[in-house]
Short mmCIF file of all heavy atoms in Angstrom, two decimals:
data_model
loop_
_atom_site.label_atom_id
_atom_site.label_comp_id
_atom_site.label_asym_id
_atom_site.label_seq_id
_atom_site.Cartn_x
_atom_site.Cartn_y
_atom_site.Cartn_z
N SER A 15 0.83 -1.21 0.00
CA SER A 15 0.00 0.00 0.00
C SER A 15 0.86 1.26 0.00
O SER A 15 0.53 2.23 -0.68
CB SER A 15 -0.96 0.00 1.18
OG SER A 15 -0.27 0.07 2.39
N ARG A 16 1.98 1.27 0.73
CA ARG A 16 2.85 2.44 0.70
C ARG A 16 3.46 2.64 -0.69
O ARG A 16 3.53 3.76 -1.18
CB ARG A 16 3.96 2.30 1.73
CG ARG A 16 3.47 2.47 3.12
CD ARG A 16 4.58 2.41 4.11
NE ARG A 16 4.02 2.47 5.46
CZ ARG A 16 4.73 2.69 6.53
NH1 ARG A 16 6.03 2.86 6.43
NH2 ARG A 16 4.15 2.73 7.71
N TRP A 17 3.90 1.56 -1.32
CA TRP A 17 4.46 1.66 -2.67
C TRP A 17 3.39 2.15 -3.64
O TRP A 17 3.66 3.03 -4.47
CB TRP A 17 4.99 0.29 -3.10
CG TRP A 17 5.42 0.26 -4.52
CD1 TRP A 17 6.58 0.73 -5.04
CD2 TRP A 17 4.67 -0.24 -5.62
NE1 TRP A 17 6.61 0.54 -6.39
CE2 TRP A 17 5.44 -0.05 -6.78
CE3 TRP A 17 3.42 -0.83 -5.74
CZ2 TRP A 17 4.99 -0.43 -8.03
CZ3 TRP A 17 2.98 -1.21 -6.99
CH2 TRP A 17 3.76 -1.01 -8.12
N ASN A 18 2.18 1.60 -3.54
CA ASN A 18 1.10 1.98 -4.45
C ASN A 18 0.66 3.42 -4.22
O ASN A 18 0.35 4.14 -5.18
CB ASN A 18 -0.08 1.01 -4.28
CG ASN A 18 -1.08 1.16 -5.38
OD1 ASN A 18 -0.72 1.33 -6.53
ND2 ASN A 18 -2.35 1.09 -5.02
N ASN A 19 0.61 3.87 -2.96
CA ASN A 19 0.22 5.24 -2.68
C ASN A 19 1.20 6.23 -3.29
O ASN A 19 0.78 7.22 -3.92
CB ASN A 19 0.16 5.47 -1.17
CG ASN A 19 -0.97 4.70 -0.52
OD1 ASN A 19 -1.87 4.22 -1.18
ND2 ASN A 19 -0.91 4.57 0.78
N LYS A 20 2.48 5.97 -3.15
CA LYS A 20 3.47 6.88 -3.74
C LYS A 20 3.41 6.86 -5.26
O LYS A 20 3.56 7.90 -5.91
CB LYS A 20 4.87 6.53 -3.24
CG LYS A 20 5.06 6.90 -1.80
CD LYS A 20 6.46 6.70 -1.33
CE LYS A 20 6.57 7.12 0.13
NZ LYS A 20 7.92 6.98 0.64
N ARG A 21 3.14 5.71 -5.85
CA ARG A 21 3.00 5.62 -7.29
C ARG A 21 1.80 6.45 -7.76
O ARG A 21 1.89 7.18 -8.76
CB ARG A 21 2.80 4.15 -7.70
CG ARG A 21 2.75 3.92 -9.19
CD ARG A 21 2.50 2.46 -9.51
NE ARG A 21 1.25 1.98 -8.97
CZ ARG A 21 0.05 2.13 -9.56
NH1 ARG A 21 -0.04 2.77 -10.70
NH2 ARG A 21 -1.03 1.65 -9.01
N LYS A 22 0.69 6.40 -7.03
CA LYS A 22 -0.49 7.19 -7.39
C LYS A 22 -0.24 8.69 -7.23
O LYS A 22 -0.71 9.49 -8.03
CB LYS A 22 -1.69 6.78 -6.52
CG LYS A 22 -2.31 5.48 -6.92
CD LYS A 22 -3.54 5.21 -6.07
CE LYS A 22 -4.27 3.98 -6.52
NZ LYS A 22 -5.51 3.77 -5.76
N ILE A 23 0.52 9.07 -6.21
CA ILE A 23 0.83 10.49 -6.00
C ILE A 23 1.67 11.01 -7.16
O ILE A 23 1.38 12.07 -7.73
CB ILE A 23 1.55 10.70 -4.65
CG1 ILE A 23 0.58 10.47 -3.50
CG2 ILE A 23 2.17 12.08 -4.57
CD1 ILE A 23 1.24 10.41 -2.13
N TYR A 24 2.72 10.27 -7.53
CA TYR A 24 3.55 10.70 -8.66
C TYR A 24 2.75 10.80 -9.95
O TYR A 24 2.92 11.73 -10.73
CB TYR A 24 4.74 9.74 -8.84
CG TYR A 24 5.90 10.03 -7.93
CD1 TYR A 24 6.13 9.28 -6.79
CD2 TYR A 24 6.78 11.07 -8.22
CE1 TYR A 24 7.21 9.55 -5.96
CE2 TYR A 24 7.86 11.35 -7.40
CZ TYR A 24 8.06 10.58 -6.27
OH TYR A 24 9.12 10.86 -5.45
N ALA A 25 1.85 9.85 -10.19
CA ALA A 25 1.03 9.88 -11.41
C ALA A 25 0.09 11.07 -11.41
O ALA A 25 -0.10 11.73 -12.44
CB ALA A 25 0.24 8.58 -11.53
N HIS A 26 -0.51 11.39 -10.27
CA HIS A 26 -1.45 12.52 -10.18
C HIS A 26 -0.73 13.84 -10.43
O HIS A 26 -1.22 14.68 -11.20
CB HIS A 26 -2.11 12.53 -8.80
CG HIS A 26 -3.09 13.64 -8.62
ND1 HIS A 26 -4.37 13.57 -9.12
CD2 HIS A 26 -2.99 14.85 -8.02
CE1 HIS A 26 -5.01 14.69 -8.82
NE2 HIS A 26 -4.18 15.48 -8.15
N ILE A 27 0.43 14.02 -9.82
CA ILE A 27 1.18 15.27 -10.01
C ILE A 27 1.69 15.37 -11.45
O ILE A 27 1.70 16.45 -12.03
CB ILE A 27 2.34 15.37 -9.00
CG1 ILE A 27 1.80 15.35 -7.56
CG2 ILE A 27 3.18 16.61 -9.23
CD1 ILE A 27 0.83 16.45 -7.22
N LYS A 28 2.08 14.26 -12.04
CA LYS A 28 2.52 14.27 -13.43
C LYS A 28 1.38 14.67 -14.36
O LYS A 28 1.58 15.41 -15.33
CB LYS A 28 3.07 12.91 -13.83
CG LYS A 28 3.69 12.88 -15.19
CD LYS A 28 4.29 11.53 -15.49
CE LYS A 28 4.90 11.53 -16.87
NZ LYS A 28 5.45 10.22 -17.22
N ASN A 29 0.15 14.22 -14.06
CA ASN A 29 -1.00 14.62 -14.87
C ASN A 29 -1.30 16.11 -14.75
O ASN A 29 -1.85 16.71 -15.67
CB ASN A 29 -2.24 13.83 -14.46
CG ASN A 29 -2.19 12.40 -14.95
OD1 ASN A 29 -1.43 12.08 -15.85
ND2 ASN A 29 -2.97 11.54 -14.33
N LEU A 30 -0.93 16.71 -13.60
CA LEU A 30 -1.09 18.15 -13.45
C LEU A 30 -0.01 18.93 -14.18
O LEU A 30 -0.07 20.15 -14.27
CB LEU A 30 -1.05 18.53 -11.96
CG LEU A 30 -2.20 18.04 -11.08
CD1 LEU A 30 -1.93 18.41 -9.62
CD2 LEU A 30 -3.51 18.64 -11.55
N GLY A 31 1.00 18.22 -14.66
CA GLY A 31 2.12 18.88 -15.33
C GLY A 31 3.19 19.32 -14.35
O GLY A 31 3.94 20.25 -14.63
N GLY A 32 3.26 18.66 -13.21
CA GLY A 32 4.20 19.07 -12.18
C GLY A 32 5.27 18.03 -11.91
O GLY A 32 5.33 16.98 -12.54
N GLU A 33 6.10 18.36 -10.94
CA GLU A 33 7.22 17.50 -10.54
C GLU A 33 7.21 17.43 -9.01
O GLU A 33 7.20 18.45 -8.33
CB GLU A 33 8.52 18.10 -11.04
CG GLU A 33 9.75 17.41 -10.56
CD GLU A 33 11.01 18.16 -10.96
OE1 GLU A 33 10.94 19.03 -11.84
OE2 GLU A 33 12.04 17.88 -10.37
N VAL A 34 7.24 16.23 -8.47
CA VAL A 34 7.21 16.03 -7.02
C VAL A 34 8.56 16.39 -6.43
O VAL A 34 9.60 15.91 -6.89
CB VAL A 34 6.83 14.58 -6.67
CG1 VAL A 34 6.91 14.34 -5.18
CG2 VAL A 34 5.46 14.24 -7.19
N LYS A 35 8.56 17.24 -5.39
CA LYS A 35 9.79 17.58 -4.68
C LYS A 35 10.01 16.59 -3.54
O LYS A 35 11.08 16.05 -3.39
CB LYS A 35 9.73 19.01 -4.12
CG LYS A 35 9.70 20.07 -5.20
CD LYS A 35 10.94 20.04 -6.03
CE LYS A 35 12.08 20.68 -5.29
NZ LYS A 35 13.32 20.75 -6.05
N TYR A 36 9.00 16.40 -2.69
CA TYR A 36 9.12 15.39 -1.64
C TYR A 36 7.73 14.95 -1.16
O TYR A 36 6.74 15.66 -1.32
CB TYR A 36 9.97 15.88 -0.46
CG TYR A 36 9.29 16.87 0.46
CD1 TYR A 36 8.50 16.43 1.53
CD2 TYR A 36 9.44 18.23 0.28
CE1 TYR A 36 7.88 17.34 2.37
CE2 TYR A 36 8.83 19.14 1.12
CZ TYR A 36 8.06 18.68 2.17
OH TYR A 36 7.45 19.58 3.00
N ILE A 37 7.70 13.78 -0.57
CA ILE A 37 6.48 13.20 0.00
C ILE A 37 6.82 12.80 1.42
O ILE A 37 7.80 12.10 1.66
CB ILE A 37 6.01 11.96 -0.78
CG1 ILE A 37 5.73 12.31 -2.24
CG2 ILE A 37 4.79 11.34 -0.13
CD1 ILE A 37 5.47 11.10 -3.11
N SER A 38 6.01 13.26 2.37
CA SER A 38 6.23 12.84 3.76
C SER A 38 4.93 12.31 4.34
O SER A 38 3.86 12.85 4.09
CB SER A 38 6.77 13.99 4.61
OG SER A 38 5.82 15.03 4.67
N LYS A 39 5.04 11.24 5.10
CA LYS A 39 3.86 10.64 5.73
C LYS A 39 3.56 11.40 7.00
O LYS A 39 4.44 11.56 7.86
CB LYS A 39 4.12 9.16 6.01
CG LYS A 39 2.90 8.44 6.47
CD LYS A 39 3.10 6.95 6.47
CE LYS A 39 1.78 6.31 6.88
NZ LYS A 39 1.83 4.89 6.83
N ILE A 40 2.33 11.86 7.16
CA ILE A 40 1.95 12.67 8.31
C ILE A 40 1.50 11.81 9.48
O ILE A 40 1.95 12.00 10.60
CB ILE A 40 0.83 13.66 7.91
CG1 ILE A 40 1.36 14.65 6.89
CG2 ILE A 40 0.31 14.39 9.13
CD1 ILE A 40 0.32 15.59 6.36
N ALA A 41 0.62 10.87 9.22
CA ALA A 41 0.03 10.07 10.30
C ALA A 41 0.63 8.67 10.30
O ALA A 41 0.86 8.08 9.25
CB ALA A 41 -1.49 9.99 10.13
N PHE A 42 0.84 8.13 11.50
CA PHE A 42 1.42 6.80 11.62
C PHE A 42 0.40 5.72 11.29
O PHE A 42 0.70 4.78 10.57
CB PHE A 42 1.96 6.60 13.04
CG PHE A 42 2.49 5.22 13.29
CD1 PHE A 42 3.68 4.83 12.70
CD2 PHE A 42 1.81 4.33 14.07
CE1 PHE A 42 4.18 3.56 12.91
CE2 PHE A 42 2.30 3.06 14.30
CZ PHE A 42 3.48 2.67 13.72
N ARG A 43 -0.81 5.84 11.80
CA ARG A 43 -1.81 4.79 11.63
C ARG A 43 -2.60 4.92 10.33
O ARG A 43 -3.04 3.94 9.77
CB ARG A 43 -2.77 4.79 12.80
CG ARG A 43 -2.08 4.42 14.09
CD ARG A 43 -3.03 4.33 15.21
NE ARG A 43 -3.76 3.08 15.08
CZ ARG A 43 -4.67 2.67 15.92
NH1 ARG A 43 -4.97 3.43 16.96
NH2 ARG A 43 -5.29 1.54 15.75
N GLU A 44 -2.81 6.15 9.88
CA GLU A 44 -3.56 6.36 8.66
C GLU A 44 -2.59 6.68 7.52
O GLU A 44 -1.47 7.11 7.75
CB GLU A 44 -4.55 7.50 8.83
CG GLU A 44 -5.62 7.22 9.86
CD GLU A 44 -6.64 8.33 9.91
OE1 GLU A 44 -7.24 8.60 8.86
OE2 GLU A 44 -6.81 8.90 10.98
N HIS A 45 -3.05 6.49 6.31
CA HIS A 45 -2.22 6.77 5.14
C HIS A 45 -2.50 8.19 4.66
O HIS A 45 -3.25 8.41 3.71
CB HIS A 45 -2.51 5.75 4.04
CG HIS A 45 -2.18 4.35 4.44
ND1 HIS A 45 -0.90 3.86 4.45
CD2 HIS A 45 -2.96 3.33 4.89
CE1 HIS A 45 -0.90 2.62 4.85
NE2 HIS A 45 -2.14 2.26 5.14
N ILE A 46 -1.89 9.16 5.34
CA ILE A 46 -2.03 10.57 5.01
C ILE A 46 -0.63 11.10 4.69
O ILE A 46 0.30 10.93 5.47
CB ILE A 46 -2.66 11.37 6.16
CG1 ILE A 46 -4.03 10.81 6.51
CG2 ILE A 46 -2.76 12.84 5.79
CD1 ILE A 46 -4.66 11.44 7.72
N TYR A 47 -0.50 11.73 3.53
CA TYR A 47 0.80 12.22 3.07
C TYR A 47 0.72 13.71 2.76
O TYR A 47 -0.30 14.21 2.27
CB TYR A 47 1.21 11.50 1.79
CG TYR A 47 1.40 10.01 1.95
CD1 TYR A 47 0.34 9.14 1.76
CD2 TYR A 47 2.63 9.48 2.26
CE1 TYR A 47 0.50 7.77 1.90
CE2 TYR A 47 2.82 8.12 2.41
CZ TYR A 47 1.75 7.27 2.22
OH TYR A 47 1.92 5.92 2.36
N ALA A 48 1.81 14.42 3.03
CA ALA A 48 1.99 15.80 2.60
C ALA A 48 2.89 15.76 1.37
O ALA A 48 3.95 15.14 1.39
CB ALA A 48 2.62 16.64 3.69
N VAL A 49 2.45 16.41 0.31
CA VAL A 49 3.17 16.37 -0.96
C VAL A 49 3.55 17.79 -1.35
O VAL A 49 2.70 18.68 -1.41
CB VAL A 49 2.30 15.74 -2.07
CG1 VAL A 49 3.06 15.68 -3.38
CG2 VAL A 49 1.77 14.39 -1.66
N GLU A 50 4.82 18.01 -1.59
CA GLU A 50 5.29 19.29 -2.10
C GLU A 50 5.75 19.06 -3.53
O GLU A 50 6.51 18.14 -3.81
CB GLU A 50 6.44 19.83 -1.27
CG GLU A 50 6.87 21.21 -1.70
CD GLU A 50 7.93 21.78 -0.78
OE1 GLU A 50 7.65 21.95 0.41
OE2 GLU A 50 9.04 22.03 -1.29
N TYR A 51 5.27 19.93 -4.43
CA TYR A 51 5.57 19.75 -5.85
C TYR A 51 5.67 21.09 -6.55
O TYR A 51 5.25 22.12 -6.00
CB TYR A 51 4.51 18.87 -6.51
CG TYR A 51 3.10 19.41 -6.46
CD1 TYR A 51 2.56 20.10 -7.54
CD2 TYR A 51 2.31 19.24 -5.34
CE1 TYR A 51 1.27 20.59 -7.50
CE2 TYR A 51 1.02 19.73 -5.29
CZ TYR A 51 0.50 20.41 -6.37
OH TYR A 51 -0.77 20.91 -6.33
N LEU A 52 6.24 21.07 -7.74
CA LEU A 52 6.39 22.27 -8.56
C LEU A 52 5.54 22.15 -9.81
O LEU A 52 5.56 21.12 -10.48
CB LEU A 52 7.86 22.45 -8.99
CG LEU A 52 8.88 22.75 -7.91
CD1 LEU A 52 10.27 22.71 -8.51
CD2 LEU A 52 8.60 24.09 -7.29
N VAL A 53 4.80 23.20 -10.10
CA VAL A 53 4.06 23.31 -11.36
C VAL A 53 4.43 24.65 -11.97
O VAL A 53 4.16 25.70 -11.37
CB VAL A 53 2.54 23.21 -11.15
CG1 VAL A 53 1.80 23.45 -12.46
CG2 VAL A 53 2.15 21.87 -10.57
N ASP A 54 5.07 24.62 -13.12
CA ASP A 54 5.54 25.84 -13.81
C ASP A 54 6.44 26.67 -12.90
O ASP A 54 6.36 27.90 -12.88
CB ASP A 54 4.36 26.67 -14.30
CG ASP A 54 3.53 25.94 -15.33
OD1 ASP A 54 4.11 25.12 -16.08
OD2 ASP A 54 2.30 26.16 -15.39
N GLY A 55 7.28 26.02 -12.11
CA GLY A 55 8.21 26.72 -11.24
C GLY A 55 7.61 27.26 -9.96
O GLY A 55 8.30 27.90 -9.18
N VAL A 56 6.33 27.02 -9.71
CA VAL A 56 5.66 27.50 -8.51
C VAL A 56 5.53 26.33 -7.53
O VAL A 56 4.97 25.29 -7.87
CB VAL A 56 4.27 28.08 -8.84
CG1 VAL A 56 3.57 28.53 -7.57
CG2 VAL A 56 4.39 29.21 -9.83
N LYS A 57 6.03 26.53 -6.31
CA LYS A 57 5.96 25.49 -5.30
C LYS A 57 4.57 25.44 -4.69
O LYS A 57 4.03 26.46 -4.30
CB LYS A 57 7.00 25.75 -4.20
CG LYS A 57 7.06 24.67 -3.15
CD LYS A 57 8.22 24.86 -2.20
CE LYS A 57 7.83 25.86 -1.14
NZ LYS A 57 8.79 25.94 -0.04
N GLN A 58 4.00 24.24 -4.65
CA GLN A 58 2.67 24.04 -4.07
C GLN A 58 2.72 22.86 -3.11
O GLN A 58 3.55 21.96 -3.26
CB GLN A 58 1.64 23.80 -5.15
CG GLN A 58 1.49 24.96 -6.11
CD GLN A 58 0.45 24.68 -7.18
OE1 GLN A 58 -0.18 23.64 -7.19
NE2 GLN A 58 0.29 25.62 -8.08
N THR A 59 1.82 22.85 -2.15
CA THR A 59 1.74 21.77 -1.18
C THR A 59 0.30 21.30 -1.07
O THR A 59 -0.62 22.11 -1.00
CB THR A 59 2.22 22.24 0.21
OG1 THR A 59 3.53 22.77 0.09
CG2 THR A 59 2.22 21.09 1.20
N LYS A 60 0.10 20.00 -1.09
CA LYS A 60 -1.22 19.41 -0.91
C LYS A 60 -1.11 18.25 0.05
O LYS A 60 -0.05 17.68 0.27
CB LYS A 60 -1.79 18.92 -2.24
CG LYS A 60 -2.20 20.02 -3.16
CD LYS A 60 -3.29 19.57 -4.06
CE LYS A 60 -3.73 20.77 -4.87
NZ LYS A 60 -5.04 20.64 -5.36
#
């Protein structure tokens, strides 16, 4: 599930036309991730 979640995050950001800077897991028990990425040189976080 961790491998698949990261694969889905990279695919989603790529569809937005962006590049993933880093992914960090926020919650230990739940699968919640903070994603920082660049789209057209603008840093965004989701």
Side-chain angles (χ1 to χ4, degrees):
S15 65
R16 288 183 185 194
W17 173 79
N18 192 40
N19 292 345
K20 288 186 179 182
R21 184 182 60 83
K22 284 184 175 184
I23 290 170
Y24 277 102
H26 180 80
I27 300 301
K28 187 176 180 182
N29 286 341
L30 293 175
E33 173 187 344
V34 175
K35 294 298 282 183
Y36 75 87
I37 300 172
S38 63
K39 188 169 183 176
I40 295 175
F42 176 71
R43 295 184 76 179
E44 296 185 58
H45 297 282
I46 302 174
Y47 298 89
V49 181
E50 185 175 298
Y51 61 98
L52 294 173
V53 175
D54 297 329
V56 178
K57 184 172 82 170
Q58 298 180 2
T59 305
K60 288 208 175 203

